[in-house]
């Protein structure tokens, strides 16, 4: 089986590959793109440079993967690594091709030894299990939530209503007022632990101030994606109304920024029809994480969202969320790094990863 770049002449074979996956019961949301050229979408971050590859045998496509290239700060230097995206094998529906998944991983590492995968739906899914077996390093990226409107949260959170008893318990909490009391206590904790006052302002453009903040922050982390002004303009373009970009100032000096989302869900498999606020991305020195999280949480509370969520890996950002009244829950967001890349990452204590990385804040 050959690994070939996705060229226009292979588009019909990719469509046939997707059709076989669908016929075999594969998830319709996990189909391989049928266009060799990435398309910009209005509600997604601008795309970073990427390459699409196909596993081809006798003119038929039996798998594919994408390498999205991005610069990362790694222990004192900047290096280009790749996000290992959407590795798909026909082996998920046809045992004849069971070995294609492993071939995909090996071919991707041969092309770029410094690889990471992110998200993947949790450790129990097939891809994280495969990567773990091939000696990748896996970490869970913790998930935190804060119920801003507890009645609507308890009545609407779908992920906790998979069993009848769970639904009944949530309804009792909602109607008895217990949920309201719990949320008020969490917000009381947030007010008690709030750092000195900071102000927030709408970001008109990521410019020199963002570069200065990037240079100030990066030495405090061992591994994080480059967040200079040029990269931020690609990830969060001014033309997009979806990304709520805000800068936090203390005594007139920028101490950090955050990217928030305010999304009205419709039939979401975890959040149902709730209005969900997300702290998707943020940067500050670890000691200023609390100020930025407090600013972001206050911003989203004031907008009236039902629920505020965030995935943050660095311990300082997790501590900041807990001090703001957020609760930690099981995460389906996993970071996996290739055997070569894990040599540069250090341990989890210095890694700053959130939903702004990888595919960006999709599904939020």
């Amino acid at each position: 089986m050959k690994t070939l770049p996705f060229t226009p002449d292979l588009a019909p074979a990719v469509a046939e590959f997707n059709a076989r996956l669908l016929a075999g019961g594969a998830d319709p949301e996990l189909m391989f793109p049928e266009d060799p050229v990435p398309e910009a979408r209005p509600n997604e971050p601008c795309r970073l440079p990427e390459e699409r590859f196909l596993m081809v045998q006798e003119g038929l496509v039996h798998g594919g993967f994408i390498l999205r290239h991005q610069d990362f700060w790694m222990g004192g230097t900047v290096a280009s690594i790749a996000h290992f995206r959407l590795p798909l094998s026909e082996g998920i529906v046809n045992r004849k091709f069971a070995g294609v998944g492993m071939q995909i991983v090996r071919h991707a590492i041969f092309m770029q030894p410094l690889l990471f995968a992110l998200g993947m739906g949790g450790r129990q899914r097939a891809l994280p299990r495969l990567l773990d077996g091939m000696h990748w390093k896996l970490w869970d990226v913790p998930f935190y939530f804060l119920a801003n409107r507890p009645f609507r949260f308890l009545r609407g959170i779908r992920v906790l209503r998979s069993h009848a008893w769970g639904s009944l318990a949530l309804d009792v909490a909602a109607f008895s007022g217990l949920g309201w009391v719990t949320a008020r206590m969490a917000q009381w904790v947030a007010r008690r632990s709030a750092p000195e006052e900071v102000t927030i302002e709408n970001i008109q453009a990521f410019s020199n101030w963002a570069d200065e903040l990037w240079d100030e922050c990066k030495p405090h982390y061992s591994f994080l994606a480059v967040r200079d002004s040029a990269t931020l303009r690609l990830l969060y373009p001014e033309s997009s109304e979806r990304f709520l970009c805000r800068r936090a100032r203390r005594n007139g000096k920028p101490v950090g920024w955050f990217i928030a989302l305010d999304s009205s869900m419709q039939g979401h498999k975890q959040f149902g029809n709730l209005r969900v606020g997300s702290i998707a991305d943020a940067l500050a020195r670890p000691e200023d994480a609390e100020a930025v999280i407090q600013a972001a949480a206050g911003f989203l509370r004031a907008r009236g969202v039902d629920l505020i969520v965030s995935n943050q890996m660095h311990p300082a950002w997790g501590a900041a969320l807990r001090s703001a009244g957020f609760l930690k829950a099981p995460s389906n967001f996993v970071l996996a790094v290739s055997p070569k890349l894990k040599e540069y990452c250090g341990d989890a204590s210095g890694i700053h990863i959130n939903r702004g990385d990888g595919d960006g804040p999709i599904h939020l």
Side-chain angles (χ1 to χ4, degrees):
M1 191 169 298
K2 297 180 180 180
T3 303
L4 300 176
F6 187 174
T7 51
D9 60 296
L10 290 170
V14 173
E16 294 171 1
F17 167 63
N18 284 335
R20 294 195 299 274
L21 294 183
L22 285 172
D27 187 342
E29 293 185 0
L30 297 179
M31 296 293 102
F32 202 80
E34 297 181 7
D35 188 338
V37 179
E39 295 180 356
R41 299 178 182 177
N43 290 326
E44 291 186 2
C46 284
R47 296 187 180 275
L48 296 166
E50 68 177 43
E51 300 174 279
R52 297 178 176 181
F53 297 95
L54 303 172
M55 309 297 291
V56 181
Q57 186 176 52
E58 297 179 354
L60 295 178
V61 171
H62 299 294
F65 62 96
I66 299 171
L67 299 182
R68 178 176 291 171
H69 302 281
Q70 187 172 3
D71 289 342
F72 267 67
W73 171 264
M74 300 193 302
T77 188
V78 171
S80 178
I81 69 175
H83 177 209
F84 182 45
R85 296 188 62 238
L86 205 61
L88 279 176
S89 162
E90 196 164 345
I92 63 176
V93 298
N94 186 339
R95 292 183 62 83
K96 177 181 177 181
F97 302 101
V100 173
M102 188 173 294
Q103 291 182 49
I104 286 173
V105 177
R106 288 174 174 164
H107 281 281
I109 287 178
F110 177 78
M111 294 174 179
Q112 169 53 285
L114 303 178
L115 287 180
F116 76 98
L118 190 61
M120 300 181 287
R123 289 176 179 254
Q124 77 282 359
R125 302 292 290 269
L127 177 58
R129 293 202 310 269
L130 174 62
L131 298 179
D132 185 46
M134 297 181 72
H135 308 295
W136 288 47
K137 177 65 177 178
L138 274 65
W139 292 280
D140 292 322
V141 182
F143 173 77
Y144 299 88
F145 73 96
L146 174 65
N148 189 46
R149 300 174 68 185
F151 184 86
R152 281 187 53 80
F153 165 73
L154 292 170
R155 289 285 290 160
I157 186 69
R158 180 173 290 184
V159 70
L160 300 180
R161 291 180 171 270
S162 56
H163 302 288
W165 283 108
S167 296
L168 177 61
L170 289 172
D171 289 341
V172 169
F175 287 106
S176 68
L178 177 61
W180 184 88
V181 173
T182 301
R184 296 284 80 78
M185 289 179 64
Q187 292 174 10
W188 178 81
V189 170
R191 289 195 294 269
R192 292 280 295 175
S193 61
E196 63 179 281
E197 194 74 21
V198 298
T199 59
I200 62 174
E201 58 188 4
N202 186 23
I203 294 174
Q204 299 299 326
F206 288 102
S207 55
N208 291 342
W209 68 267
D211 293 322
E212 293 170 3
L213 191 63
W214 164 248
D215 289 335
E216 183 179 344
C217 293
K218 65 186 181 185
H220 297 274
Y221 300 97
S222 63
F223 181 76
L224 79 162
V226 168
R227 290 290 194 268
D228 58 14
S229 62
T231 302
L232 291 169
R233 287 194 295 269
L234 276 178
L235 294 174
Y236 308 112
E238 295 177 56
S239 59
S240 175
E241 297 180 357
R242 182 169 182 247
F243 306 115
L244 306 173
C245 309
R246 298 295 185 270
R247 174 170 51 189
R249 287 182 178 270
R250 181 191 290 121
N251 299 323
K253 181 181 184 299
V255 295
W257 52 259
F258 63 87
I259 308 296
L261 282 73
D262 182 346
S263 306
S264 295
M265 300 298 186
Q266 297 294 326
H268 192 280
K269 60 183 177 181
Q270 278 97 25
F271 302 128
N273 297 326
L274 292 175
R275 184 177 164 196
V276 178
S278 310
I279 305 172
D281 200 353
L283 182 67
R285 295 179 305 170
E287 58 264 38
D288 292 323
E290 187 172 357
V292 173
I293 288 294
Q294 290 284 355
F299 169 73
L300 288 168
R301 281 198 299 264
R303 290 179 67 91
V305 299
D306 300 324
L307 172 69
I308 307 173
V309 301
S310 191
N311 286 87
Q312 298 287 342
M313 184 165 174
H314 193 276
W317 291 88
L321 286 160
R322 292 191 297 273
S323 73
F326 284 71
L327 300 176
K328 190 175 180 180
S331 176
N332 64 2
F333 204 64
V334 178
L335 170 67
V337 298
S338 64
K340 186 66 175 177
L341 183 57
K342 69 182 178 183
E343 298 175 10
Y344 298 92
C345 287
D347 59 31
S349 64
I351 298 176
H352 185 36
I353 288 286
N354 55 39
R355 292 297 286 266
D357 295 300
D359 285 326
I362 60 174
H363 308 308
L364 288 177

